[in-house]
Amino acid sequence: MKKTQVDISKYRSIVFLTGAGISAASGIRTYRGPEGLWNDETLVRLSDGETFRSDPLDVWKFWSESRAICAAAHPNAAHLALASLEKSLRPDQRMTVITQNIDGLHQRAGNTGVVEFHGSVRRTRCSSDSCDLEPFLDEKLYKDSVPRCPRCGSNLRPDIVLFHEMIPPSNSKAALRALSDCDLFIAIGTSGTVYPANDFVRHAFERRARTVYVNLESLGEVNIYFQEEFLGKAEELVPLLLGGGIPAEGGSITMRELPGAL
Ligand code: NAD
């Protein structure tokens, strides 16, 4: 039977963009999609940078819960497939995982080339821009009081990008550097609606990369820069796509060409 597979040996500079869908099978809920949390008003409020300024303890309570959930979660088959791919590359091949996730599961699976575009809930940092305290790995849960910076006394905060906040320039630079010579771009488990990450495929497309979308739900005509779409669960699809191949009659897996292929 004919199988569809991405033959990684053909590519030199591979970029994966991952979103919440890749971690759904690890028990971390997505914002959008069938099981999505997006409409939860509390979640929206506690994910806003403005709320941290007015109610830092509420924000800490919420993100402490998220920290505990992420710490208890385990990388799933999709994370593990990306980690084993990185280990199998030739010296002339490079792979970067740009993730919008804050759960740390790519690193825990074993990937080293990871850009945590929206930061990490595993780290804590000072809320003052002028303080030189480095973000640090922190397992503590702050539910009773807001922790203070040992250097300057300002509030400490989770090292994540909240709504209405800028992406740290170093994250943008690292992502754009990876995309600058990319010849294969695969987005996994992202709704493709969160700017600026949803624009990365355009960078890759303009560099003539092959562009592939892997998700539970179709992208529709939202983004014209993807050439191929594979629909199914990331934890089932990614190991097949990068490993043994997807059977032509893929069961719950659907493949189709997108506008970028024309
Ligand atoms: P999203 O929540 O907007 O979209 C998730 C997408 O994943 C949806 O399109 C959904 O159809 C798809 N999906 C759900 N289950 C899937 C599965 N098993 N396999 C494949 N696809 C699946 O996520 P987003 O676009 O990544 O961005 C929203 C923001 O939410 C991000 O900035 C991210 O920081 C944050 N977020 C992170 C986590 C995490 O760290 N795990 C979880 C929730 C939200």
Side-chain angles (χ1 to χ4, degrees):
M1 183 190 288
K2 187 177 178 296
K3 291 190 173 183
T4 297
Q5 183 184 17
V6 177
D7 180 1
I8 295 291
S9 68
K10 289 191 195 161
Y11 303 97
R12 290 263 179 104
S13 177
I14 306 149
V15 175
F16 291 90
L17 171 67
T18 66
I22 198 170
S23 296
S26 299
I28 303 172
R29 287 177 69 185
T30 62
Y31 283 176
R32 300 182 182 80
E35 304 286 320
L37 292 167
W38 187 255
N39 291 327
D40 184 332
E41 273 178 32
T42 313
L43 171 102
V44 174
R45 190 177 82 80
L46 297 175
S47 301
D48 197 307
E50 287 303 321
T51 313
F52 185 77
R53 275 178 277 286
S54 56
D55 299 302
L57 185 56
D58 279 0
V59 172
W60 259 120
K61 282 181 190 165
F62 177 80
W63 288 101
S64 290
E65 197 62 42
S66 169
R67 182 174 274 182
I69 291 169
C70 293
H74 296 287
N76 65 55
H79 299 107
L80 296 173
L82 294 190
S84 93
L85 179 66
E86 186 184 302
K87 289 192 186 76
S88 72
L89 295 180
R90 299 187 308 263
D92 66 328
Q93 291 179 297
R94 190 159 53 87
M95 162 177 167
T96 306
V97 179
I98 304 172
T99 187
Q100 298 168 89
N101 295 341
I102 50 154
D103 54 33
L105 289 179
H106 287 299
Q107 290 94 328
R108 285 178 53 204
N111 277 112
T112 57
V114 182
V115 177
E116 291 181 308
F117 201 62
H118 292 163
S120 172
V121 78
R122 300 165 77 206
R123 291 189 302 265
T124 294
R125 70 170 170 88
C126 183
S127 60
S128 163
D129 291 340
S130 55
C131 180
D132 61 2
L133 182 81
E134 287 293 324
F136 59 95
L137 276 175
D138 188 7
E139 292 177 353
K140 287 193 195 129
L141 308 181
Y142 302 102
K143 295 184 171 181
D144 300 320
S145 62
V146 177
R148 293 301 178 100
C149 175
R151 290 265 167 91
C152 72
S154 304
N155 287 336
L156 290 174
R157 54 166 285 172
D159 187 20
I160 55 177
V161 180
L162 296 167
F163 301 148
H164 298 123
E165 293 183 332
M166 300 280 289
I167 302 290
S170 57
N171 295 4
S172 301
K173 262 192 209 155
L176 293 177
R177 198 181 315 121
L179 289 161
S180 65
D181 63 350
C182 162
D183 55 6
L184 174 64
F185 178 89
I186 304 183
I188 305 170
T190 174
S191 54
T193 52
V194 181
Y195 183 82
N198 64 347
D199 196 37
F200 290 164
V201 63
R202 180 180 61 80
H203 290 262
F205 182 86
E206 286 174 357
R207 281 154 191 78
R208 300 179 183 278
R210 177 178 174 187
T211 56
V212 180
Y213 185 68
V214 178
N215 201 46
L216 202 54
E217 301 171 299
S218 174
L219 189 64
E221 307 298 314
V222 168
N223 198 323
I224 59 165
Y225 299 106
F226 281 105
Q227 298 156 338
E228 298 153 72
E229 181 172 73
F230 293 86
L231 300 181
K233 293 180 174 172
E235 60 276 20
E236 293 171 4
L237 250 166
V238 175
L240 290 174
L241 202 58
L242 303 179
I246 299 171
E249 301 303 322
S252 60
I253 294 165
T254 311
M255 291 170 257
R256 69 181 191 117
E257 286 197 343
L258 290 173
L262 301 175

